[in-house]
Amino acid sequence: GSTLVRQLKPAPAWLTLKYIHAFLSMAGNGVVGVGVSIAALTKWGIEGIFIALAIWLALFAILGFALVATRLDFELRDYLVGDKSLRVRMGALNQREVTLSYANVQNIEVRQGPLERILGFKSLTVSTAGGGTQVHEGERSNHEVTLEGLTQADEIRALVMSMLKQHTDTG
């Protein structure tokens, strides 16, 4: 029942940051891979080459999977600003869609960390009533959604605020 006002996607710089994160998260595995490979080569000689090769193939496969999942998350991520609600679709492996009605919005916050500032984008977090409920580790609250990687976050915040004002004026 909501008319689409604006459809958004994260900036390409956001994808770059996510790629950097994927590489850095694999750095520790690479160090362990070097150590285990050296140990295998010194202990088993020629047979150790096959063990080292298997370790490196597994590490590259995991990195490749992480990069593909990151790209799919970028491609499948949509932010839809409607006249009555805000809808966010995200996730490559575990898809999630959250719709927040403007009737329940309590807080809208624009955030930008140092890396985001360098890359030229911000994040917009929208919170609704009921956001104080206890959420277990690994779970996300359905009372808050973050639109990551926006180059025009301040403009979108103003748009959401105007939609919120229209909703309260008519309600």
Side-chain angles (χ1 to χ4, degrees):
S2 183
T3 304
L4 182 64
V5 175
R6 188 136 180 217
Q7 181 175 2
L8 305 160
K9 300 226 20 114
W14 179 81
L15 178 62
T16 301
L17 183 63
K18 292 299 178 180
Y19 279 152
I20 291 168
H21 182 266
F23 276 109
L24 291 178
S25 66
M26 285 296 293
N29 294 335
V31 170
V32 170
V34 168
V36 172
S37 297
I38 290 171
L41 289 171
T42 56
K43 181 162 178 83
W44 293 297
I46 299 297
E47 293 86 10
I49 292 173
F50 295 109
I51 295 170
L53 183 62
I55 291 168
W56 285 100
L57 285 175
L59 288 175
F60 281 117
I62 293 168
L63 178 61
F65 180 77
L67 294 177
V68 168
T70 300
R71 180 60 188 223
L72 284 174
D73 180 43
F74 174 74
E75 294 295 334
L76 296 174
R77 187 174 290 258
D78 281 313
Y79 309 134
L80 307 168
V81 180
D83 62 343
K84 296 178 185 169
S85 63
L86 174 68
R87 187 168 64 192
V88 177
R89 288 185 294 198
M90 63 189 123
L93 302 175
N94 186 13
Q95 290 192 347
R96 179 175 178 236
E97 184 171 321
V98 178
T99 302
L100 301 179
S101 170
Y102 296 133
N104 300 327
V105 171
Q106 288 188 331
N107 188 39
I108 303 173
E109 178 184 12
V110 175
R111 287 186 279 175
Q112 185 180 42
L115 290 176
E116 292 170 327
R117 191 171 300 117
I118 290 168
L119 294 171
F121 62 86
K122 299 176 182 179
S123 295
L124 178 73
T125 301
V126 179
S127 304
T128 63
T133 59
Q134 182 68 22
V135 178
H136 299 287
E137 187 177 334
E139 294 180 10
R140 295 182 178 168
S141 169
N142 287 331
H143 301 287
E144 181 177 277
V145 70
T146 300
L147 288 70
E148 299 179 33
L150 297 177
T151 55
Q152 66 279 29
D154 296 314
E155 177 186 330
I156 300 306
R157 181 184 185 278
L159 177 62
V160 171
M161 292 293 286
S162 72
M163 295 296 171
L164 180 59
K165 183 173 177 0
Q166 284 178 1
H167 181 76
T168 56
D169 288 348
T170 60

